[in-house]
Every structure is written in C-alpha cells, then in structure tokens.
Amino acid sequence: AAIQLLALVVQYEVEATVLGELGNPMVGERKECQKIIRLKSLNAHTDTSSLARKIVEECQLIHSSKLREVEQLLFYFEGYYDQEKKRISPRDFAPCAGVEDKVARIDAIDEYVELLYEDIQEKIRGATLIFQLARNPDNLEELIQNETVLGALARVLREDWKQSVDLATTIIYVFFCFSSFSQFHGLVTHFKIGALCMNIIEHELKRYDLWQDELQKKRKAYILFLRNPNLRKEHEKSFRKYQSLLTKQEQLLRVALCLLLNLAEDPRTELKMRNKNIVHTLVKILDRDDEELLLVVVSFLKKLSIFLENKNDMAETLAVEKLSRLVPCDHEELLSTTLRLLLNLSFDTSLRSQMVHAELLPKVSSLLADEAQRQLCMCILYHISMDDRFKSMFADTGCIPQLMKMVFDCGEKMDVELISLCINLAANKSNAKVICEGNGLKMLMKRAVKLKDVLVTKMIRNLSQHNGSTKSLFLEHVGDLASQISKVEEEAEEFVIECLGTLANLTIADLDWALVLKEYNLVPYLKERLKPGSAEDDLILEVVIMIGTVSMDDSCAAMLAKSGIIPALIELLNAQQEDDEFVCQIVFVFYQMVFHKATRDVIVKDTQAPAYLMDLMHDNNAEIRKVCNNTLDIIAEYDEEWGKKIQNEKFRLYNCQWLDMVENRPMDEAGEPFLYGEDGEPFIGDRDILERPDLFYSADGLISADGAISPEFYTDFQDGELGQTGYMSRYGATAALHSN
C-alpha cells in the first residue's frame, strides 16, 4: 500500500546506573529504546538538506555527526514516496462546486456526517469534505475510530448511488483511500463495498449502451433530413450531453475498478469477482477511449490473466482483438501494461493464433525500435515464433534486419530472448534467406567462432538445414566449422555438437568431403568418438549423423570402411539398442554405405550388419523398419545368398499369424493332427514348415512338390499377379496369407 505518512525511527541506548553504598557505580544496565519522528510533509519538492538539519537541531537524541545519515534516509523516503505514487490510481478528483475552497477539519467530522442525512446536494458536500480528510493517511486511523462515518457513507452509497453519479463517485473515492492499505481491506469488505461496486459498474455499462442507441437514432434522423436545422441542433445538443455524462461515468468506473483491483490482492475476493464475470465486464470496457480508464482495465486483466480460468474467459471474449488497437499508443504506461498482458496471454496456443489474426505481429515487431518496450516485444515474438504456422510471417514484417543488427551490436553477452527468437526464426526457409542476406551468415560465423557461442552456432545450424541458395553459402565456411571439431576443449562440448550438426546438414554436391576429412584429420576423431562412453550421448549421436552425411561420397565411404568404423558402429548399435534415435541413424549409415561397392562388400562379407538389420525388421519403430527394409532390399539385390535369407525372413514376418496357425493346428481324439500326408505322416512333423512347399497354394490349388515358386509366391501375391480364383477367393480371408 502507498505510504504517505513517513517516520524516522531513532534508536538510542539508556544506561541505568546503580550506585553502591559509597556512591560508586556497581552495576550498569543498558536498554535499547527508540523515538519516532513523524514527517507530515515530504514530497519531490522538499529540501531534504534543510529538513535534515532541522531534525538534528530539534531532536536532542541525534548527534550532529549523524546529519549526513539523516539526509540520506530522507532522500530514500522521498524516492520511495514518489515510486508509490506511480501506482495505478484514479485521476485527481475535482470536488463539487462550493466545496473546493473549504478546508476540511478532522475535529468537524460529526458535522460532515450530519450532512449525509440531508438532500442529495448536502450529501455530496458532506461526502466531499470527508473525502478531503480521507486523502490524508494521517486521518484514516481516526476516521476508523468514528464508527458512524463509514457506516453512514456505506448506507448512502447503497441507497442513493443511482440518484447522483457525483455522490457515488465521491463515496467510492473515500473507500478507495482505505483500500490502498492492505490492513483496511477487511473494513471495506465488511461494508460489502466491493459487491456494490460490481453492481454499479454493471448498471453503468447498461446505461452506456442505452446512450449509444439513443445517440445513434438521432444521428440517423439527422442524416436522413440534412436540411432540417432542428434535427441538427437536437443531435448536437444530445452529443454534448452524452459527452458530459460519459466523462462523469468514466470517472466513476475508474475509481470503482481501482478499488476492486486493490481488494483483488486477496485470492478469495478475486475468485468472488470472477464468479460475477469480472473478466467479461473488463473486456467490454476495452472499447472505451479514455486512456486512464483503459490503464486500470488492462492492469486488472493482467493481474487476472495468470489464472487459467480467467485466461480462457479472455480467449472466449476475444480480448486480444480489442487489445490490438492499443498497440501502439502514445500513453507509454498503457502501452507497457498492454504488452505485459499480451505476454501473459501468449503462452496459450489459441491466443497466439488470435494475436496473429489480429495483425499484432507487425505491430509488435515495429516496437522493437522502442528501447523501453523492446524486451517485452521480443518475449511476445518469441512465443509466436514457437508455432511453425507463423514463422514464415516474420519475413514480411521487416523485424529480421533489426534483430540481426541487435545481434551484431551487442557485446560478448547477448540477451537470451534475442538469440532465442533468432534461433526459432532461422528454422524457417524464408527467414533464413533474409538472415543470410549480405554478410549476415559471415558475421554470425565470425561471432560464433570467436566467442565459441553455442546459441549463435545453434542458429547457424538451423540456417544450414534449408536446401537451395542458403545452403550453398556454407561452402566457404566448411573449413571454419571443421577446424573447431578436434581442437576445441572438452569444456566446449556443446559448441562442438552444434558444429558437427551444422556440417551434417551440408548435403551439397559440390562439397569435397574426402578433402575435408583428410585436411582436418577428422576420421580418427570420428572413430574415437564412436566408442560407447567416450563422450556424452548427444555428441556421439551427432558424430553418427555426420558419418551418414559424408558416406554419401564414394571415396569417403571407402575411407571410413578401411578405418574400421563399421565394426565400431555395430558395437555402438549393441550398446544403444534401446535408443531409437541412435538405432535409426546407425542403420541410415549402413543404408548410405551399401550404395557403394567397396563399402557394400565390407558390410555384407566382413561384418554381421545384415543379420542385425534382419533382427531390426521386427522393431516397433516404423522409421527404423522402413530404413532397414530399404537397406536389406539393396543387399538382397547384390548378394544372392543374403537375398534368399532376407526373402525367407520377410516371408516369416508377413505371414507369422498364418505360420502360427499351421504349426499350432488342432489335434484329433487320438492326439494326432487332422492333416496327414500320403505316407500317413504329419505334413510337418519335426521339420521346418518352410521345407513343406506343398502347404503353399497357387491360383489353381496346391503347388507342385518341388516348391519351385515358394516363397516367391508371396512376392507375386504382393505384386497382384495372382488371379481372382483359387484358394484365396474360394475360402475367404480366414486361411489367407497375412501381410502388413
């Protein structure tokens, strides 16, 4: 609460001396005491030096050597007082005519209370005089002691608020003075002033709607009959009256909302307000033009917006659309408060979408030039940039060049909000082109390499993922990135991760990876980092991804195969078999390597990689199964022996249900299977089911005993080469081959 009554507390010690029989001191006792010096007038125009000297001269307990300390304390109180005055409060209230020249006295309070029992004008006069007393915090305690004052004010407000806006405004102002101090909230609540203010606000909003309808009707009549001077005068008279009523009403709304805002410090009171649809009421007032009223409303909404239910109400009432007209505005405090409210709301996905549709993106972007609002704007833009749907819109706002200038102008330490926003924007191709225009990429690389800046390197990594002209710009920076990998200290591991990730994105046909690996001696580093536990998993994963990228080159793939990287990858696959990301990336490396004859022979003949790939055909991860199948298809095409194994395994995989059904067929009463061969033996016995080709069906029934078309039968079935007759059409799908 605002503190206008300030005090200097002077602490001192009193020494009590007990004299002995001979008059000599025997026991000394020290007590700490304090004296309060009240300062009744302290403001921005107070001469603190003179006041400090006066205090030291008149207070014998303060030694003259403490003058400097007293002056500093007064200076602190003056600054604190000025800061408290900046709190949200109604505009200075003008007292009613005939009262402004009369100075209220606390000893005449009973006379002012008696005025509250007279007619409306006298009630206004009495309330105004009491308000003069209440504006001085010194008088609040004494006003509370007089039980009849607040009770009479509450009664008059409850009974007569509809008869006079001036009376209602003045009395609410009195209670607002009490609500500015938390210790008086219970008193205000006791008289149910908060609930009464809610009713008054609701009634005034209905009156406003009626005024609008009446004014609109007279305006239409005036437009239809332009030549009628009487209608014109009537319209102008109505408009002047409307303006006068509107000014008084907005003053009443301001003070009532300020009082409610103070009472809302108690969460229970705030919940009661929400149950009375305070959010809907506040959003409705956002259509007004009075900036002081809007400041109170937006401040109230900002306070309410931290709760989910209130935030949902704001989304339902389209509050963002109404707030968009306040950005930008000339009232600096209103603009700042509006941006803070938008920041609170921007955590919600649906409300971020409303902000974009309300065209707030270019408006907020334009405020980046305002240093006072820059931090808030960057936070809002960062939240919007988190949604991929809106990233591309930033390219048309003109904010990216300004953000890049801010990046280049800042020193070694960069604001997290700034670089985080840039990282998000760099993930979009359109934004990436704007960022890299001119010397953008070159300047970013220079800063990243010089400062080992992880976040800037992350931004560069996002830029490198876009195909086209942007990726080609990285050709001249490959050496800078590659040189950082092996020479950077272990403490900068995150920086190395981003460098590796950037290089892994550079799938450029003109890039000679073999030359890069040789010149910077990267092969030993890559092989060493493939050992499980040699580094953090994130770094090892980036190494695997980079190996997959360089393996696209024939000479690089051969170089890596000769270095023994393939067995190292298999060992890493065993160690990380539970991590789908690792498994998928390692299998992708094998996929890249089987395209080249040299590495394909090493993989097929010298390692057990095909066997591992066949096991991974059963993996639960769809991406892993897809890469495995593509890799095994290439191996089967070039190696006949592995081709048969792969074909049989695929047959088992696609027909596992049918195979289980045959192997576990029902038995007769004698414990024998229902199906027997010509020799009286079971079809299968102890043999593998695939060794009985007569179990497979062709389009005309059972195939020949030589099994000439099994399991190629399944391949034909997949390709749709089987006819519509035969077993499949006659007996339905119950005994059909099961496939994915």
Side-chain angles (χ1 to χ4, degrees), residues 592-690:
Q592 294 284 22
M593 287 187 169
V594 295
F595 277 103
H596 313 295
K597 184 177 185 304
T599 49
R600 182 170 60 244
D601 291 341
V602 174
I603 291 174
V604 173
K605 297 178 181 178
D606 299 340
T607 69
Q608 292 298 314
Y612 281 101
L613 294 173
M614 289 174 64
D615 289 339
L616 291 172
M617 288 171 58
H618 305 271
D619 197 273
N620 294 327
N621 189 299
E623 285 298 319
I624 294 176
R625 294 198 304 270
K626 180 180 178 181
V627 180
C628 280
N629 285 328
N630 293 337
T631 308
L632 290 172
D633 288 343
I634 298 173
I635 293 174
E637 183 179 351
Y638 288 97
D639 190 283
E640 184 177 352
E641 181 180 352
W642 274 109
K644 291 182 179 180
K645 293 179 181 179
I646 294 169
Q647 192 174 26
N648 286 339
E649 186 61 28
K650 285 187 175 182
F651 183 84
R652 286 179 178 277
L653 176 63
Y654 290 125
N655 298 283
C656 57
Q657 295 181 12
W658 180 77
L659 294 174
D660 290 341
M661 180 189 70
V662 174
E663 291 178 348
N664 300 301
R665 65 192 183 283
M667 312 292 283
D668 60 14
E669 295 179 359
E672 297 293 338
F674 283 119
L675 300 177
Y676 292 90
E678 296 178 357
D679 53 358
E681 294 293 328
F683 278 117
I684 301 176
D686 297 329
R687 292 173 291 172
D688 192 311
I689 190 169
L690 295 181

Side-chain angles (χ1 to χ4, degrees), residues 576-592:
Q576 300 286 351
Q577 56 185 332
E578 300 299 327
D579 191 320
D580 285 354
E581 183 66 22
F582 264 101
V583 173
C584 190
Q585 295 297 341
I586 293 173
V587 173
F588 180 74
V589 173
F590 292 150
Y591 173 74
Q592 294 284 22

Side-chain angles (χ1 to χ4, degrees), residues 234-250:
E234 186 177 352
H235 174 263
E236 292 177 351
K237 181 180 178 181
S238 299
F239 185 74
R240 286 194 298 269
K241 181 180 179 181
Y242 165 76
Q243 292 283 12
S244 175
L245 292 173
L246 185 63
T247 301
K248 290 187 176 183
Q249 186 189 70
E250 289 181 341

